[in-house]
């Protein structure tokens, strides 16, 4: 998969893409990330990419000419059909399902904004607009890294055989539940013990325990996810049991 990132600060990407899974994916030819400086498409003397807003108000707005020229030029660099995504706090909320959807397309172009955001007309030249959460960052670089990472690790072959996204929180096979707790050696750390069941070697019992703990974690941390979860009768019983364990509400 090819991911092109349009940004005013390409240097911000050097660290995250030069290590770990993303680097390995690039080294193995599964991922091709290219960075482009939007300023390269600003053709006036001072290579200006922003201007003050019509109607007044604080901050600067990213000008349409360089951003649209950058999108068009980068789109034409490769024959593969590209999906152009604008990063913006006002976009659709990015989630694991969207990451999975993007991981099967051949090309993604991510456009990172700055200042107060984009001139509205730029939105006519993109296919989608994504937000990574309900908060405002200073620029679209971190959101672009987040989207690139979440998408890249779902590309077939990117995760090694010891790694898997299949049972992870928010994955379709997790059926709407958060992931169960993990433990590794030592069996006891500062008095905190690994649950006996995980040392039992009884795979069926371990699978049951993990399911119960997934439900417990979802119920206590993100109860709203349970309404979309696929729950069996046994799961429903587990929920009732966990609810009955909880102390009564002091209010
Ligand atoms: C300071 S923000 C602009 C915020 C804008 N004035 C607003 O209220 O929506 C500058 C840029 O950072 C990026 N950005 C900030 N927060 C983001 C988020 N939660 N998700 C995606 N992109 C974000 C966008 O590219 C945005 O154009």
């Amino acid at each position: 998969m090819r991911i092109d990132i349009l940004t005013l600060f390409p240097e911000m990407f050097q660290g995250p893409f030069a290590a770990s899974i993303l680097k390995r994916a690039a080294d193995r030819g599964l991922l091709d990330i290219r960075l482009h400086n939007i300023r390269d498409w600003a053709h006036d003397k001072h290579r200006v990419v922003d201007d003050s807003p019509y109607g007044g108000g604080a901050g600067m707005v990213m000008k349409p000419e360089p951003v649209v020229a950058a999108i068009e030029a980068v789109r034409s660099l490769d024959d593969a059909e590209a999906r152009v995504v604008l990063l913006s706090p006002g976009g659709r909320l990015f989630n694991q399902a969207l990451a999975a959807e993007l991981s099967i397309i051949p090309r993604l172009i991510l456009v990172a904004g700055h200042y107060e955001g984009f001139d509205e007309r730029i939105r006519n030249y993109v296919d989608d607009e994504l937000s990574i959460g309900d908060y405002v960052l200073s620029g679209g670089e971190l959101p672009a890294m987040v989207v690139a990472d979440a998408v890249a690790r779902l590309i077939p072959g990117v995760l090694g055989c010891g790694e898997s996204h299949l049972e992870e929180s928010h994955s379709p096979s997790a059926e709407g539940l958060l992931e169960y707790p993990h433990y590794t050696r030592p069996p006891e750390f500062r008095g905190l013990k690994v649950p006996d069941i995980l040392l039992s070697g009884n795979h069926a019992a371990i699978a049951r325990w993990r399911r119960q703990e997934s439900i417990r974690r979802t119920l206590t941390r993100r109860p709203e996810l349970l309404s979309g979860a696929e729950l069996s009768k046994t799961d429903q019983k587990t929920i009732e049991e966990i609810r009955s364990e909880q102390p009564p509400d002091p209010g």
Side-chain angles (χ1 to χ4, degrees), residues 107-127:
R107 251 196 109 187
L108 180 61
I109 299 178
L110 299 173
V111 188
H114 249 273
Y115 317 118
E116 279 307 310
F118 301 98
D119 180 290
E120 189 61 22
R121 292 163 291 185
I122 292 169
R123 293 188 158 82
N124 293 303
Y125 297 86
V126 307
D127 304 307

Side-chain angles (χ1 to χ4, degrees), residues 87-89 113-118 130-133 135-140 143:
L87 279 325
S88 149
H114 249 273
Y115 317 118
E116 279 307 310
F118 301 98
L130 295 179
S131 162
I132 63 157
Y135 40 80
V136 177
L137 298 160
S138 0

Side-chain angles (χ1 to χ4, degrees), residues 29-72:
L30 297 168
L31 180 65
D32 180 8
I33 296 186
R34 315 253 183 130
L35 298 164
H36 310 272
N37 193 332
I38 295 170
R39 211 173 283 284
D40 291 344
W41 283 274
H43 296 304
D44 63 298
K45 201 165 111 206
H46 300 291
R47 298 172 79 208
V48 173
V49 290
D50 60 317
D51 206 339
S52 49
Y54 276 123
M60 300 296 272
V61 175
M62 285 184 73
K63 287 166 67 61
E65 306 94 316
V67 178
V68 171
I71 291 172
E72 289 176 342

Side-chain angles (χ1 to χ4, degrees), residues 9 22 32 86 101 107 136-137 148 160 171 175 189 205 245-246:
F9 299 97
L22 290 190
D32 180 8
L86 200 69
E101 194 183 308
R107 251 196 109 187
V136 177
L137 298 160
S171 68
E175 298 167 356
F189 170 72
E245 286 167 17
Q246 282 174 355

Side-chain angles (χ1 to χ4, degrees), residues 182-184 186-196 198-199 209:
H182 296 289
Y183 293 88
T184 184
E188 185 171 337
F189 170 72
R190 298 186 180 182
L192 301 167
K193 289 186 176 162
V194 173
D196 287 340
L198 295 179
L199 309 175
W209 179 87

